[in-house]
Coordinates of all heavy atoms in Angstrom, one line a residue:
I1 N 0.8 -1.2 0.0 CA 0.0 0.0 0.0 C 0.8 1.3 0.0 O 0.3 2.4 -0.1 CB -1.0 0.0 1.2 CG1 -0.2 -0.1 2.5 CG2 -2.0 -1.1 1.1 CD1 -1.0 0.1 3.8
R2 N 2.2 1.1 0.1 CA 3.0 2.3 0.0 C 4.4 1.9 -0.4 O 4.8 0.8 -0.3 CB 3.0 3.1 1.4 CG 3.4 2.3 2.6 CD 3.4 3.1 3.8 NE 3.6 2.3 5.0 CZ 4.0 2.8 6.2 NH1 4.2 4.1 6.3 NH2 4.2 2.0 7.2
H3 N 5.2 2.9 -0.7 CA 6.6 2.6 -1.1 C 7.5 3.8 -0.9 O 7.0 5.0 -0.8 CB 6.7 2.2 -2.6 CG 6.3 3.3 -3.6 ND1 5.0 3.6 -3.9 CD2 7.0 4.2 -4.2 CE1 4.9 4.6 -4.8 NE2 6.2 5.0 -5.0
W4 N 8.8 3.6 -0.9 CA 9.7 4.7 -0.7 C 9.9 5.4 -2.1 O 10.1 4.8 -3.1 CB 11.1 4.2 -0.3 CG 11.2 3.8 1.2 CD1 11.3 2.5 1.6 CD2 11.1 4.6 2.3 NE1 11.3 2.5 3.0 CE2 11.2 3.8 3.5 CE3 10.9 6.0 2.5 CZ2 11.1 4.3 4.8 CZ3 10.8 6.5 3.8 CH2 10.9 5.6 4.9
E5 N 9.8 6.7 -2.0 CA 10.0 7.5 -3.2 C 11.5 7.5 -3.6 O 12.4 7.6 -2.8 CB 9.5 8.9 -3.0 CG 9.6 9.8 -4.2 CD 9.2 11.3 -3.9 OE1 9.8 11.8 -2.9 OE2 8.4 11.8 -4.6
L6 N 11.7 7.4 -4.9 CA 13.1 7.5 -5.5 C 13.2 8.6 -6.5 O 12.2 8.9 -7.3 CB 13.5 6.2 -6.2 CG 13.5 4.9 -5.3 CD1 13.8 3.7 -6.2 CD2 14.5 5.0 -4.2
D7 N 14.3 9.4 -6.4 CA 14.5 10.5 -7.4 C 15.8 10.1 -8.1 O 16.9 10.1 -7.6 CB 14.7 11.8 -6.6 CG 14.9 12.9 -7.6 OD1 14.6 12.8 -8.8 OD2 15.3 14.0 -7.2
H8 N 15.6 9.7 -9.4 CA 16.8 9.3 -10.2 C 17.5 8.1 -9.5 O 18.7 8.0 -9.5 CB 17.8 10.4 -10.5 CG 17.2 11.5 -11.3 ND1 16.6 12.6 -10.8 CD2 17.2 11.7 -12.7 CE1 16.2 13.4 -11.8 NE2 16.5 12.9 -13.0
G9 N 16.6 7.2 -8.9 CA 17.2 6.0 -8.3 C 17.7 6.2 -6.9 O 18.1 5.2 -6.3
Q10 N 17.6 7.4 -6.4 CA 18.1 7.7 -5.0 C 16.9 8.0 -4.1 O 16.0 8.7 -4.5 CB 19.1 8.9 -5.0 CG 20.3 8.7 -5.9 CD 21.1 7.4 -5.5 OE1 21.3 7.2 -4.3 NE2 21.6 6.7 -6.4
P11 N 16.9 7.4 -2.9 CA 15.8 7.6 -1.9 C 15.7 9.1 -1.5 O 16.7 9.7 -1.2 CB 16.1 6.7 -0.8 CG 17.6 6.5 -0.8 CD 18.0 6.5 -2.3
T12 N 14.5 9.5 -1.4 CA 14.2 10.9 -0.9 C 13.8 10.9 0.6 O 13.5 12.0 1.1 CB 13.1 11.5 -1.7 OG1 11.9 10.8 -1.5 CG2 13.4 11.5 -3.2
Q13 N 13.7 9.8 1.2 CA 13.2 9.6 2.6 C 11.7 9.9 2.8 O 11.2 10.1 3.9 CB 14.0 10.5 3.6 CG 15.5 10.4 3.5 CD 16.0 9.0 3.7 OE1 15.5 8.3 4.6 NE2 17.0 8.6 3.0
R14 N 11.0 9.9 1.7 CA 9.6 10.2 1.7 C 8.9 8.9 1.2 O 9.2 8.3 0.2 CB 9.3 11.4 0.8 CG 7.8 11.7 0.6 CD 7.6 13.0 -0.1 NE 6.2 13.2 -0.4 CZ 5.6 13.1 -1.6 NH1 6.4 12.6 -2.6 NH2 4.3 13.3 -1.8
S15 N 7.8 8.5 1.9 CA 7.0 7.4 1.5 C 5.8 7.8 0.8 O 5.1 8.8 1.2 CB 6.7 6.5 2.7 OG 5.8 7.2 3.6
I16 N 5.4 7.1 -0.2 CA 4.2 7.4 -1.0 C 3.1 6.4 -0.7 O 3.4 5.2 -0.7 CB 4.6 7.3 -2.5 CG1 5.7 8.2 -2.9 CG2 3.3 7.7 -3.4 CD1 5.5 9.7 -2.6
E17 N 1.9 6.9 -0.4 CA 0.8 6.0 0.0 C 0.2 5.3 -1.2 O -1.0 5.5 -1.5 CB -0.2 6.8 0.8 CG 0.4 7.4 2.1 CD 0.9 6.3 3.0 OE1 0.2 5.3 3.2 OE2 2.0 6.5 3.6
Q18 N 0.9 4.5 -1.9 CA 0.3 3.7 -3.0 C 1.4 2.7 -3.4 O 2.6 2.8 -3.0 CB -0.1 4.5 -4.2 CG 1.1 5.2 -4.9 CD 0.7 6.0 -6.1 OE1 -0.3 6.8 -6.0 NE2 1.4 5.9 -7.2
R19 N 1.0 1.6 -4.1 CA 1.9 0.6 -4.6 C 2.8 1.2 -5.7 O 2.4 1.9 -6.5 CB 1.1 -0.6 -5.1 CG 2.0 -1.7 -5.5 CD 1.2 -2.9 -6.0 NE 2.0 -4.1 -6.2 CZ 1.5 -5.3 -6.3 NH1 0.2 -5.5 -6.4 NH2 2.3 -6.3 -6.5
R20 N 4.1 0.8 -5.6 CA 5.0 1.3 -6.6 C 4.7 0.6 -8.0 O 4.5 -0.7 -8.0 CB 6.5 0.9 -6.2 CG 7.5 1.5 -7.2 CD 8.9 1.0 -6.9 NE 9.3 1.2 -5.6 CZ 9.8 2.4 -5.2 NH1 10.0 3.4 -6.0 NH2 10.2 2.5 -3.9
T21 N 4.7 1.3 -9.0 CA 4.5 0.7 -10.3 C 5.8 0.0 -10.8 O 6.9 0.4 -10.4 CB 4.1 1.7 -11.4 OG1 5.1 2.8 -11.5 CG2 2.7 2.4 -11.0
A22 N 5.7 -1.0 -11.6 CA 6.8 -1.6 -12.2 C 7.5 -0.7 -13.2 O 6.8 -0.2 -14.1 CB 6.5 -3.0 -12.8
E23 N 8.7 -0.4 -13.0 CA 9.4 0.5 -13.9 C 10.9 0.3 -13.8 O 11.4 -0.3 -12.9 CB 9.1 2.0 -13.6 CG 9.5 2.4 -12.2 CD 9.1 3.8 -11.9 OE1 9.2 4.6 -12.8 OE2 8.7 4.1 -10.7
Y24 N 11.6 0.7 -14.8 CA 13.1 0.6 -14.9 C 13.7 1.7 -14.1 O 13.5 2.9 -14.3 CB 13.6 0.6 -16.4 CG 15.0 0.3 -16.5 CD1 15.5 -1.0 -16.7 CD2 16.0 1.3 -16.6 CE1 16.8 -1.3 -16.9 CE2 17.3 1.0 -16.7 CZ 17.7 -0.3 -16.9 OH 19.1 -0.6 -17.1
I25 N 14.6 1.3 -13.1 CA 15.3 2.3 -12.3 C 16.8 2.1 -12.4 O 17.3 1.0 -12.2 CB 14.8 2.2 -10.8 CG1 13.3 2.5 -10.7 CG2 15.6 3.1 -9.9 CD1 12.7 2.2 -9.3
T26 N 17.5 3.2 -12.6 CA 18.9 3.1 -12.6 C 19.5 3.9 -11.4 O 19.5 5.1 -11.4 CB 19.5 3.8 -13.9 OG1 18.9 3.2 -15.1 CG2 21.0 3.6 -14.0
P27 N 19.9 3.2 -10.4 CA 20.2 3.8 -9.1 C 21.6 4.5 -9.1 O 21.9 5.3 -8.3 CB 20.2 2.7 -8.1 CG 20.6 1.5 -8.9 CD 19.9 1.7 -10.3
L28 N 22.4 4.2 -10.1 CA 23.8 4.7 -10.1 C 24.0 5.5 -11.5 O 23.4 5.1 -12.5 CB 24.8 3.6 -10.1 CG 24.8 2.8 -8.7 CD1 25.9 1.7 -8.8 CD2 25.2 3.7 -7.6
P29 N 24.8 6.6 -11.4 CA 25.0 7.3 -12.7 C 25.7 6.4 -13.7 O 26.5 5.5 -13.3 CB 25.9 8.5 -12.2 CG 26.5 8.0 -11.0 CD 25.5 7.1 -10.3
K30 N 25.5 6.7 -15.0 CA 26.1 5.9 -16.0 C 27.6 6.2 -16.0 O 28.1 7.3 -15.8 CB 25.5 6.3 -17.4 CG 24.1 5.9 -17.5 CD 23.5 6.2 -18.9 CE 22.1 5.9 -19.0 NZ 21.5 6.2 -20.4
P31 N 28.5 5.2 -16.3 CA 29.9 5.4 -16.3 C 30.3 6.4 -17.4 O 29.6 6.4 -18.5 CB 30.5 4.0 -16.5 CG 29.4 3.3 -17.1 CD 28.1 3.8 -16.6

């Protein structure tokens, strides 16, 4: 029912009150 918000793959410390949608996330900058 909720998930941690990510901004460009990095956590913002904010939780969102809904299920996270399936999506492609790149947590690290490209080399």
Side-chain angles (χ1 to χ4, degrees):
I1 58 173
R2 54 181 177 161
H3 66 274
W4 287 113
E5 182 185 51
L6 299 177
D7 182 17
H8 294 91
Q10 300 300 320
T12 64
Q13 308 301 323
R14 176 171 173 258
S15 64
I16 306 298
E17 297 301 314
Q18 66 182 44
R19 183 175 190 170
R20 186 191 302 279
T21 58
E23 58 183 323
Y24 187 88
I25 297 175
T26 305
L28 298 175
K30 295 181 180 180

